[in-house]
Amino acid sequence: LEKQVGAGVRTDAFVATPERWKPDNDLAHLLWLLVHFRDHVAPVLAQVEDPTAFSENDFVLDGMARLVMGEPFAEVLRWAEEAMPDLARILSRAAAKEGLYKEEVAASAMRQVVARFDLRRVDGRIGAIQREIRRCETTGDKSSYVAHATELGALLTKQVQLKRETTRRPGAPS
């Protein structure tokens, strides 16, 4: 122990670098569409009831809201450089990347991205309800069982609809 104390601070100690924020693929597409075709996709995003489905990061949501509300990209980028440099990096990359979608399919592509986020939420809720139904089966709670089974039926219908929406080619007729 005396040798270690007297040895001083190790200079070869591993120093972890902070993890950088990186959006998932769907959020990256959402941001790209928002940066390139704001006028076409903002109305789609304005209809979303719970934007935390996209991200729970307040800076990301604030940056998205700024773009949806029409704040110039350069101002949003300056804000993001101060507030969340990783968001600024992603927005800069999105702005520099061309041709991910064509303008004429931007709104339908955004609806598809939103549907993928909705599908994740619905899939999670279906799993939770299925667990509750199994619990009701073991406890004999018939009234809760019926309520959960009814909700499950509605969610399974919604799941089919969302899967259809997420596999449709952007711009294809509904």
Side-chain angles (χ1 to χ4, degrees):
L1 183 61
E2 287 178 22
K3 285 183 181 179
Q4 287 177 338
V5 171
V9 178
R10 288 183 50 196
T11 58
D12 63 341
F14 174 75
V15 177
T17 56
E19 190 173 320
R20 298 185 81 164
W21 176 79
K22 184 178 182 227
D24 68 21
N25 193 48
D26 289 329
L27 183 55
H29 281 251
L30 183 152
L31 292 171
W32 189 94
L33 284 161
L34 189 54
V35 165
H36 288 271
F37 303 118
R38 173 190 11 224
D39 293 340
H40 297 286
V41 302
V44 175
L45 290 176
Q47 295 174 1
V48 172
E49 292 177 20
D50 182 13
T52 61
F54 304 132
S55 177
E56 292 183 359
N57 184 307
D58 290 336
F59 292 117
V60 173
L61 295 174
D62 195 24
M64 288 172 54
R66 288 167 181 259
L67 289 168
V68 167
M69 299 299 287
E71 190 170 323
F73 178 76
E75 289 179 27
V76 174
L77 190 58
R78 271 194 297 279
W79 165 83
E81 286 168 347
E82 291 292 319
M84 186 179 172
D86 285 339
L87 175 60
R89 176 179 48 84
I90 297 300
L91 290 173
S92 293
R93 284 185 184 169
K97 186 174 186 174
E98 293 293 328
L100 195 57
Y101 295 95
K102 293 181 179 178
E103 183 176 4
E104 57 270 13
V105 300
S108 64
M110 182 60 82
R111 282 191 292 277
Q112 195 173 52
V113 169
V114 170
R116 286 195 297 267
F117 280 104
D118 286 346
L119 183 58
R120 289 183 206 173
R121 182 189 52 79
V122 167
D123 286 345
R125 184 68 187 134
I126 286 171
I129 290 174
Q130 288 172 332
R131 286 187 294 279
E132 284 299 312
I133 287 173
R134 285 192 294 277
R135 185 192 59 76
C136 290
E137 289 171 342
T138 59
T139 63
D141 184 353
K142 291 180 183 177
S143 63
S144 292
Y145 179 90
V146 170
H148 290 313
T150 302
E151 184 180 358
L152 180 60
L155 285 171
L156 289 170
T157 300
K158 180 72 172 173
Q159 183 187 49
V160 168
Q161 173 194 356
L162 289 169
K163 283 183 178 180
R164 199 174 307 131
E165 179 68 25
T166 60
T167 57
R168 183 177 294 125
R169 197 176 73 250
S174 297

